[in-house]
Amino acid sequence: MSIKRRQFIKAAGAAGAVTGLSLSGLRFASAGSGKHVVVVGGGAGGATCAKYIRHFDSSVKVTVIEPKTEFATCFMSNWVIGGLKEQDWITHTYGDWSAKHGIDVIHDLVVDIDADKQTVTTRGGKTVSYDRLVVSPGVDMKYDTIDGYSEAASHLVPHAWHAGPQTTVLRKQLEDMPDGGLFVMASPPNPFRCPPGPYERVSLVANYLKRNKPKSKILILDAKDKFSKQGLFTAGWEKYYGYGTDDSMIEWRSRANDGTVKAVDAETRTAMTTFDEIKADVLNVIPAQTAGHIAHKAGLTDDSGWCPVDHMTWESKMHKNVHVIGDAAIASPLPKSGYAANSEGKVCAAAVVAMLKGNDAPTPSWVNTCYSLVTPSHGISVAMVYDSKDGSVSKVKGSGGLTPKGGDYTLEAVYAESWYLNIVDDMFG
Amino acid sequence: MTRTSLLSALFVAGLAVGHSATAADASGQMIAAQCNGCHGFEGKSVGDAPSLHGRSAALMAKAMMDFKSEARQATIMNRIAKGYSDAEIQNVAEYYANLK
Ligand SMILES: Cc1cc2nc3c(=O)[nH]c(=O)nc-3n(C[C@H](O)[C@H](O)[C@H](O)COP(=O)(O)OP(=O)(O)OC[C@H]3O[C@@H](n4cnc5c(N)ncnc54)[C@H](O)[C@@H]3O)c2cc1C
């Protein structure tokens, strides 16, 4: 309170020369330098937003707080699991990026947000104040939705739904699996990060097994009755992996068919559904998900476990001056994808820059595209362009959709890799 | 805000309301930011997708209109181009053309 009062008096002293400024304008004027935006999380959403704030208005000071010094993208981590790429290829660092764009990076974990005082506190004991805060913490796994599953158990039975060490563990387990072995995936209920992700992973595991361990089988135990790009995936599986025949490498068991995994025994790599018990050679358990812990801690989530926001600005409906983007936000009809996080990051950056000047946010526009590989040279995609209707994200009628019948799957695979190189350059370059 | 800029802002807002039943057009900068995910930061591609940086506005607008009408076939651009009004296509074409 006394600080605010002092700042006000100091600013009021300077105000003689700058008439006509609003009260909040005076407070900022007292800081002497540009406004300060803090970004929590340097992943797909956070890195994009930080970079574009500086790109749109270099007078804004930006600090990113991210515990990791190396960020492995989830996108294309299936390519690493399938043996198409090495872990290095999906791993990015912050040093050059920070220098190039004049962004401060603090490698620490945010443990608390005080939306009234406009400060964040880190595990390392730092308190950082902000004019506006952007939170992009991604997802946390709801381990407690599957009996016997936990953070600890996930080291034996990885989810690999955060890229990094678990990506390497799952790859290694596949390499160590005997020919004739069984790979079991527990696929999560909606909503979750990257709807086509589990099925791209299965495709690339099948591609690896077909070439190296052709007697092996894959079983998907699904908590859903349908999935993203299902027609395109199953057509590809029929073409390459015998799907639908007695000799199919891949079997998909839907929720209605007792697909939901209720419990696991990590030691014996066993998955339990209501009526069945399946012992796997490699078990990949992807549980239900929720907004990253800090979003819950800071009171940014609603009963759904995700963060309600104003789509025009991505400002939280729970706390003023705090914006939430990426997987943690309720963004529907935008999916929880890297492209969507990147797209939201830019709309949020433009809004933050405008709002810091006391202006209205500009008319937004969003894009999402998710490429997936069925084999290394058979790519498929789903795309959509979005605008705003009555203040919410809305699909532009007539745009987007799936790879059309007779589409060029070979070229789509080429452009999938091109997409990765460009979006990573757009975020971390 | 000066009196004249306030007045002109109100004037523009008035036009926007009468614009049409559809949403307001987004700026070239806003739309280009969305294309960059596939075409690279500032439209400088580091992959197999073509670069858009500094392309002539007329050629870019023609390409987009042809994708939109399906006069030109492509793997993804038909699905993307159909998401924008003709005015937005003009905006984004001019934005990339003016990048230095
Ligand atoms: C296997 C797989 C494949 C995928 N493939 C694709 C694809 O092909 N295309 C696509 O578009 N998307 C894909 N995705 C989805 C994409 O990875 C996510 O949607 C995207 O990363 C979301 O961005 P985000 O910023 O919300 O979270 P993230 O990118 O996960 O970033 C969150 C960051 O916040 C940090 N953080 C969390 N809490 C704190 C805290 N308290 N303090 C400080 N920092 C914190 C984390 O360390 C992390 O670095 C895939 C995902 C998976 C799992």
Side-chain angles (χ1 to χ4, degrees):
Chain A
M1 207 65 216
S2 70
I3 290 175
K4 271 198 184 143
R5 197 186 155 80
R6 220 181 312 131
Q7 274 181 339
F8 177 69
I9 292 168
K10 201 169 131 202
V18 244
T19 47
L21 281 180
S22 69
L23 187 59
S24 65
L26 284 177
R27 205 180 134 223
F28 291 128
S30 73
S33 59
K35 313 269 162 71
H36 188 207
V37 176
V38 173
V39 179
V40 181
T48 303
C49 190
K51 176 170 161 179
Y52 272 79
I53 288 173
R54 295 282 301 158
H55 177 56
F56 290 149
D57 184 350
S58 59
S59 78
V60 178
K61 181 173 149 50
V62 177
T63 303
V64 172
I65 308 181
E66 162 64 56
K68 291 181 230 152
T69 54
E70 290 191 334
F71 183 85
T73 59
C74 274
F75 21 117
M76 281 34 182
S77 64
N78 288 334
W79 296 27
V80 175
I81 290 164
L84 309 186
K85 295 285 182 188
E86 296 298 324
Q87 183 79 7
D88 280 0
W89 191 70
I90 60 164
T91 306
H92 308 278
T93 55
Y94 296 96
D96 294 347
W97 178 81
S98 149
K100 187 165 164 191
H101 305 293
I103 297 166
D104 284 343
V105 180
I106 299 174
H107 288 298
D108 205 343
L109 186 78
V110 172
V111 291
D112 209 2
I113 296 171
D114 187 331
D116 292 330
K117 291 203 183 114
Q118 296 182 220
T119 59
V120 301
T121 311
T122 69
R123 185 166 55 190
K126 280 201 183 73
T127 299
V128 185
S129 50
Y130 59 82
D131 294 301
R132 286 195 171 268
L133 184 71
V134 178
V135 182
S136 191
V139 293
D140 272 7
M141 300 299 134
K142 288 167 82 170
Y143 292 109
D144 60 1
T145 55
I146 298 176
D147 262 8
Y149 204 42
S150 62
E151 223 282 305
S154 79
H155 297 286
L156 291 173
V157 169
H159 48 75
W161 222 244
H162 286 135
Q166 292 219 343
T167 313
T168 320
V169 170
L170 190 57
R171 172 67 195 155
K172 179 82 174 50
Q173 291 185 352
L174 266 178
E175 283 171 348
D176 294 345
M177 186 174 107
D179 191 7
L182 177 65
F183 175 94
V184 176
M185 169 189 280
S187 188
N190 292 321
F192 65 103
R193 154 175 291 186
C194 195
Y199 313 96
E200 180 188 52
R201 178 174 293 176
V202 160
S203 304
L204 293 180
V205 168
N207 175 67
Y208 165 75
L209 294 176
K210 185 179 169 181
R211 286 155 198 241
N212 298 281
K213 295 158 188 177
K215 296 202 284 284
S216 309
K217 297 280 181 206
I218 298 172
L219 174 63
I220 310 167
L221 296 172
D222 213 322
K224 302 178 292 301
D225 285 325
K226 52 185 193 198
F227 58 86
S228 171
K229 298 190 238 183
Q230 186 162 354
L232 287 169
F233 273 116
T234 54
W237 295 347
E238 283 165 14
K239 188 164 174 195
Y240 303 107
Y241 311 118
Y243 189 70
T245 68
D246 289 347
D247 199 28
S248 179
M249 179 174 262
I250 301 169
E251 184 191 336
W252 175 66
R253 208 182 282 178
S254 67
R255 186 187 66 115
N257 247 327
D258 191 32
T260 309
V261 170
K262 304 276 168 121
V264 295
D265 181 348
E267 292 291 338
T268 60
R269 290 176 178 161
T270 306
M272 270 85 71
T273 64
T274 305
F275 299 109
D276 206 356
E277 207 176 290
I278 298 125
K279 199 179 161 332
D281 293 281
V282 176
L283 180 55
N284 175 205
V285 178
I286 309 164
Q289 290 149 41
T290 187
H293 176 73
I294 187 65
H296 289 268
K297 176 84 200 302
L300 293 166
T301 51
D302 66 13
D303 290 346
S304 71
W306 306 98
C307 304
V309 293
D310 171 359
H311 289 160
M312 303 301 281
T313 60
W314 298 83
E315 187 167 30
S316 166
K317 290 186 174 167
M318 313 301 276
H319 288 306
K320 279 196 89 61
N321 304 314
V322 180
H323 303 249
V324 185
I325 56 173
D327 291 348
I330 299 174
S332 178
L334 278 162
K336 298 190 186 303
S337 77
Y339 205 125
N342 170 273
S343 177
E344 294 157 19
K346 292 160 181 175
V347 171
C348 179
V352 162
V353 162
M355 290 163 95
L356 286 173
K357 290 186 186 138
N359 295 337
D360 287 342
T363 301
S365 178
W366 300 269
V367 168
N368 178 64
T369 303
C370 287
Y371 284 105
S372 305
L373 291 186
V374 177
T375 75
S377 54
H378 182 117
I380 56 178
S381 62
V382 60
M384 187 56 63
V385 179
Y386 306 82
D387 62 8
S388 59
K389 198 171 262 157
D390 305 326
S392 294
V393 177
S394 164
K395 295 180 182 183
V396 176
K397 267 214 186 80
S399 77
L402 299 160
T403 305
K405 270 218 160 60
D408 192 328
Y409 304 119
T410 315
L411 270 186
E412 289 249 275
V414 170
Y415 285 132
E417 179 159 347
S418 171
W419 167 77
Y420 182 72
L421 296 172
N422 277 320
I423 202 147
V424 154
D425 177 60
D426 197 36
M427 293 170 179
F428 301 107
Chain B
M1 195 179 260
T2 64
R3 201 188 173 83
T4 33
S5 69
L6 180 65
L7 281 177
S8 66
L10 287 173
F11 180 61
V12 171
L15 278 185
V17 170
H19 176 244
S20 77
T22 60
D25 289 325
S27 71
Q29 184 184 53
M30 174 63 73
I31 295 166
Q34 304 301 332
C35 317
N36 288 351
C38 285
H39 286 280
F41 184 58
E42 299 202 300
K44 291 180 185 162
S45 177
V46 294
D48 285 318
S51 281
L52 302 179
H53 185 98
R55 250 168 213 262
S56 114
L59 281 177
M60 169 89 110
K62 164 125 176 51
M64 289 295 284
M65 294 303 288
D66 286 349
F67 287 135
K68 192 173 162 180
S69 70
E70 304 251 348
R72 179 172 166 192
Q73 295 289 325
T75 61
I76 197 114
M77 280 309 297
N78 304 97
R79 286 179 271 163
I80 299 292
K82 287 173 188 166
Y84 303 98
S85 69
D86 295 0
E88 286 179 320
I89 285 175
Q90 199 56 42
N91 291 352
V92 70
E94 279 165 22
Y95 176 81
Y96 278 119
N98 288 326
L99 283 183
K100 300 231 160 59

